[in-house]
């Protein structure tokens, strides 16, 4: 017996079977894609890590240190700057004296962990090679001026401002002009750098150079004064001691020998005093003051006339005038404390301390000088000058 088959039921069964096959295929594809993805992601991370290890930088960010303040680095426009400092030098600013050394080999670069970087593995540059060149961290000095020494390592930059200077000396000619026998010249030259300075006198009988660089006028005449800075320039000036002036305190006696040694047969001179009540001159040339004021002594010798002006001063009188003048210059006169007083006939120097506007104490020197006409001049200088 044969059963009758419904064609509609057959069609429906075939569709269901076909749909199930599609579902199985899709599921297999999704499963295969998931497996591949899980395998590819670690491989990608490994490749990124390898690339980072090779370049030493992150693929997401490049860290560059900021150059030293005020510096300008040419040729670095292609590098971006970030807030993270990954590289540093042991110097940010440096100044040296030209001629004091040929090279600097103490530059060191450090990473963010303060680990020293091999200078041979970094790139070094100088913004001005006429001043200095640099190789493997050693800076070679070429001339004077300013340059920027930079180190570049794995995309990071650090810089140092380097200045090479040459000391220069100059002479205050006004300080050496019109000097008198017995004068001491201080603060008569200046130097642009803290280096050793040598001073020489062409005629030591006229001007003597003391250990501290000051000058002492000994007699009338000329002397070429030369000052030279170590690794620097030289300056000179000719002192012409021609004024015959003498300053003497009223309680001292001095001899004319050192003032007239330049005169031939000076020991045969016979002196007359324009005001005998002011001072006396012995046959041996000793001057004895009698009262304060200005006078002169005269002589004729070797067919020439000679005149020496003399100012007699008084220590107590000058001290009183100087103290009053000093108090007028102070912010707090009541705080004045005198450490010492020096007097040499022509000037009086007060070594003192006084309160400043901050409540502390400053120590200075107040110097008052008198000229031949009896006029006073004052100045305040640091005790350390």
């Amino acid at each position: 017996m044969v059963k009758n088959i419904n064609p509609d039921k057959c069609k429906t069964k075939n569709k269901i079977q076909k749909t199930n096959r599609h579902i199985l295929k899709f599921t297999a594809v999704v499963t295969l894609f998931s497996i591949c993805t899980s395998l590819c992601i670690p491989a990608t991370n490994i490749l990124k890590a390898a690339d980072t290890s090779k370049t030493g930088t992150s693929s997401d960010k490049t860290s560059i240190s900021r150059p030293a303040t005020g510096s300008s680095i040419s040729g670095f426009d292609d590098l971006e700057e970030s807030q993270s400092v990954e590289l540093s030098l042991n110097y940010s600013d440096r100044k040296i004296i030209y001629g004091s050394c040929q090279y600097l080999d103490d530059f060191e670069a450090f990473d963010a962990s303060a680990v020293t970087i091999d200078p041979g593995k970094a790139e070094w540059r100088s913004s001005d090679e006429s001043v200095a060149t640099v190789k493997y961290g050693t800076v070679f000095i070429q001339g004077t001026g300013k340059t920027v020494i930079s180190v570049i390592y794995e995309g990071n930059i650090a810089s140092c401002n380097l200045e090479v200077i040459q000391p220069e000396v100059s002479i205050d000619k006004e300080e050496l002009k019109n000097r008198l026998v017995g004068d001491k010249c201080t603060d008569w030259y200046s130097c642009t750098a803290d280096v050793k300075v040598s001073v020489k006198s062409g005629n030591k009988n006229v001007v003597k150079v003391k250990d501290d660089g000051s000058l002492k006028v000994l007699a009338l005449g000329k002397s070429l004064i030369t000052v030279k800075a170590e690794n620097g320039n030289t300056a000179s000036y000719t002192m012409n001691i021609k004024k015959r002036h003498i300053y003497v305190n009223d309680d001292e006696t001095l001899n004319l020998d050192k003032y007239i040694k330049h005169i031939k047969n000076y020991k045969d001179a016979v002196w007359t005093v324009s005001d005998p009540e002011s001072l006396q001159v012995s046959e041996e040339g000793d001057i004895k003051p009698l009262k304060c004021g200005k006078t002169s002594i005269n002589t004729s010798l070797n067919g020439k006339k000679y005149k020496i002006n003399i100012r007699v001063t008084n220590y107590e009188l000058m001290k009183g005038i100087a103290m009053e003048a000093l108090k007028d210059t102070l912010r707090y006169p009541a705080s004045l404390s005198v450490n010492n007083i020096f007097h040499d006939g022509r000037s009086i120097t007060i070594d003192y301390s006084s309160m400043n506007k901050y409540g502390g104490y400053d120590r200075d020197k107040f110097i008052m000088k008198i000229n031949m006409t009896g006029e006073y001049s004052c100045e305040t200088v640091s005790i350390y000058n």
Side-chain angles (χ1 to χ4, degrees):
M1 182 178 64
V2 179
K3 292 183 179 181
N4 294 325
I5 300 173
N6 189 338
D8 293 333
K9 288 183 178 181
C10 291
K11 290 180 178 180
T12 300
K13 184 177 181 180
N14 291 335
K15 288 182 178 180
I16 292 172
Q17 292 175 348
K18 188 174 181 180
T19 300
N20 288 337
R21 286 195 299 271
H22 286 303
I23 292 173
L24 289 174
K25 289 181 179 180
F26 178 76
T27 301
V29 171
V30 171
T31 301
L32 180 61
F33 178 77
S34 299
I35 293 172
C36 292
T37 302
S38 64
L39 293 174
C40 290
I41 290 175
T44 302
N45 290 337
I46 291 172
L47 291 174
K48 286 184 177 181
D51 181 64
T52 303
S53 174
K54 181 179 179 180
T55 62
T57 58
S58 169
S59 59
D60 297 328
K61 181 180 72 174
T62 300
S63 299
I64 302 175
S65 69
R66 295 190 174 191
T69 304
S71 63
S72 61
I73 310 173
S74 60
F76 300 153
D77 296 339
D78 55 329
L79 300 176
E80 296 181 358
E81 182 177 2
S82 72
Q83 299 299 320
S84 176
V85 178
E86 301 290 343
L87 189 65
S88 62
L89 280 169
N90 55 333
Y91 293 102
S92 60
D93 292 279
R94 196 167 182 190
K95 180 184 291 186
I96 67 166
I97 296 177
Y98 182 73
S100 60
C101 62
Q102 295 179 338
Y103 60 88
L104 306 171
D105 58 359
D106 56 346
F107 277 90
E108 291 184 319
F110 306 93
D111 62 16
S113 301
V115 177
T116 304
I117 294 172
D118 184 351
K121 295 182 179 180
E123 180 184 354
W124 297 81
R125 300 182 187 179
S126 171
S127 63
D128 189 345
E129 294 192 345
S130 66
V131 176
T133 58
V134 57
K135 187 174 183 180
Y136 302 129
T138 299
V139 178
F140 298 91
I141 307 303
Q142 306 296 333
T144 59
K146 296 181 179 180
T147 186
V148 179
I149 303 301
S150 304
V151 57
I152 305 96
Y153 181 73
E154 294 187 351
N156 301 310
I157 306 171
S159 302
C160 168
N161 296 313
L162 175 65
E163 183 178 6
V164 183
I165 63 173
Q166 187 169 26
E168 295 185 1
V169 289
S170 59
I171 294 176
D172 184 355
K173 297 180 180 179
E174 292 299 323
E175 185 68 16
L176 299 185
K177 280 183 179 180
N178 302 322
R179 282 298 186 168
L180 310 174
V181 175
D183 281 355
K184 182 180 179 181
C185 308
T186 59
D187 302 324
W188 57 275
Y189 72 86
S190 60
C191 184
T192 57
D194 186 14
V195 297
K196 182 179 179 180
V197 176
S198 60
V199 181
K200 293 183 179 181
S201 172
N203 190 340
K204 297 179 181 179
N205 293 325
V206 174
V207 180
K208 178 182 178 181
V209 179
K210 307 195 78 175
D211 293 339
D212 60 0
S214 62
L215 305 176
K216 180 72 173 180
V217 181
L218 302 179
L220 299 180
K222 294 182 179 181
S223 179
L224 177 64
I225 306 300
T226 304
V227 56
K228 184 181 187 305
E230 185 178 20
N231 298 314
N233 73 325
T234 302
S236 60
Y237 176 77
T238 299
M239 293 185 67
N240 187 5
I241 314 302
K242 59 184 180 179
K243 287 191 175 181
R244 299 176 178 88
H245 292 174
I246 297 176
Y247 292 83
V248 60
N249 194 40
D250 59 1
D251 62 354
E252 66 176 321
T253 300
L254 57 82
N255 191 276
L256 286 172
D257 281 2
K258 69 176 183 178
Y259 300 95
I260 59 176
K261 281 185 177 181
H262 66 290
I263 302 176
K264 185 179 179 181
N265 302 322
Y266 69 92
K267 291 186 177 182
D268 297 332
V270 177
W271 298 92
T272 58
V273 182
S274 60
D275 183 4
E277 296 183 357
S278 298
L279 58 81
Q280 295 176 348
V281 182
S282 68
E283 294 181 359
E284 292 77 19
D286 294 326
I287 295 178
K288 182 180 180 180
L290 300 177
K291 68 177 183 179
C292 296
K294 177 187 175 183
T295 187
S296 64
I297 57 176
N298 306 269
T299 189
S300 295
L301 191 65
N302 305 321
K304 294 183 180 180
K305 292 183 178 181
Y306 297 93
K307 178 181 179 180
I308 299 178
N309 295 316
I310 299 176
R311 164 64 63 176
V312 181
T313 60
N314 177 271
Y315 168 74
E316 293 296 336
L317 176 62
M318 290 189 67
K319 175 184 173 182
I321 296 174
M323 289 294 292
E324 290 300 318
L326 170 58
K327 291 178 181 179
D328 289 341
T329 67
L330 300 179
R331 180 181 292 270
Y332 305 107
S335 68
L336 174 62
S337 175
V338 177
N339 304 310
N340 211 338
I341 298 179
F342 307 93
H343 180 240
D344 62 3
R346 186 186 186 190
S347 65
I348 190 163
T349 301
I350 303 175
D351 173 3
Y352 73 96
S353 301
S354 65
M355 185 182 295
N356 57 36
K357 64 180 180 180
Y358 304 106
Y361 276 78
D362 294 330
R363 186 174 180 182
D364 298 296
K365 291 186 297 185
F366 183 80
I367 304 172
M368 186 182 75
K369 295 181 179 180
I370 185 172
N371 62 18
M372 195 54 59
T373 60
E375 298 174 338
Y376 292 97
S377 61
C378 304
E379 65 174 330
T380 300
V381 299
S382 172
I383 189 68
Y384 303 106
N385 289 346

